[in-house]
Amino acid sequence: MMTRRGLVWLSASAEDPAECRATWAADPRSPYALPTGHYFDVVAIEQRVGLETFDQLARRAMPLGPVMADWASRLTGFFLPSGMQATFDGMMRRETSDRLEYRYLSVDSVVVVPGPMPLSGDRYTWLRAPMRRPEATAARVAALAAMFVASAALVARADRYGLERERVVTVPAKDEETPGAR
């Protein structure tokens, strides 16, 4: 659940902060469209990789800001300090030569965020709600880049393993009789 300080920080990014807070006061589950690029940027990652990235960051107590999920679009959104796109892209290039799929939302973009108190069945939910204005640290950007690359590799390997398992042909043991053979 979002704290009061988190709500004030997040709603301050709205074109009309008072309207945003009024919307959330009337319905704390209500999603709201906020512009990115001034108060925060968002890195949108495919859901399976995004959830693994979030889990790895949280389990290892690495620097982590607000994180949201859009269950219908199957995306996970990681909030970063604004103006960090070049830094994030550079860190991604240093971590891997593979082109991983993500979308960086900055100036001239909009993101639909969950309300302060979404329910588990809502389309938009917080995996980690804003508690206060997140610190703008390079460590958070580096942690996200590193865990994103590691999680993408893990999910890709799991997918390959699943395909390999489907191709395995069961061969009867020597002492078993093959039906119809005598």
Side-chain angles (χ1 to χ4, degrees):
M1 184 165 81
M2 193 183 305
T3 64
R4 176 85 176 131
R5 286 173 54 187
L7 187 144
V8 169
W9 168 75
L10 194 59
S11 64
S13 68
E15 289 181 13
D16 185 345
E19 178 187 311
C20 179
R21 285 190 290 276
T23 298
W24 283 342
D27 181 4
R29 291 179 57 197
S30 182
Y32 202 87
L34 296 174
T36 56
H38 182 65
Y39 280 73
F40 58 85
D41 291 348
V42 174
V43 177
I45 301 173
E46 183 273 325
Q47 191 172 58
R48 289 183 323 138
V49 175
L51 292 175
E52 184 65 34
T53 302
F54 170 74
D55 185 52
Q56 294 296 329
L57 288 166
R59 272 198 278 154
R60 288 171 172 67
M62 296 177 85
L64 182 63
V67 182
M68 60 166 277
D70 176 346
W71 301 107
S73 294
R74 302 188 55 76
L75 294 171
T76 306
F78 293 83
F79 287 62
L80 290 177
S82 58
M84 299 299 280
Q85 183 169 6
T87 304
F88 181 76
D89 291 342
M91 289 180 178
M92 289 295 294
R93 282 191 301 276
R94 281 190 289 283
E95 288 291 328
T96 184
S97 59
D98 294 341
R99 173 71 178 124
L100 299 180
E101 294 295 319
Y102 66 91
R103 189 159 172 228
Y104 197 98
L105 304 172
S106 188
V107 178
D108 295 329
S109 294
V110 174
V111 65
V112 177
V113 301
M117 295 188 321
L119 297 179
S120 61
D122 289 347
R123 174 181 177 165
Y124 303 98
T125 59
W126 291 108
L127 301 178
R128 185 170 191 262
M131 300 296 165
R132 59 181 157 49
R133 182 183 182 134
E135 295 177 26
T137 65
R140 211 166 97 215
V141 179
L144 176 58
M147 281 302 132
F148 174 29
V149 170
S151 296
L154 177 66
V155 169
R157 179 63 190 121
D159 288 348
R160 282 192 308 274
Y161 178 76
L163 291 173
E164 290 167 7
R165 297 281 300 159
E166 288 174 6
R167 288 188 211 130
V168 172
V169 177
T170 306
V171 178
K174 280 185 169 182
D175 59 340
E176 291 181 10
E177 244 185 72
T178 307
R182 285 218 178 224

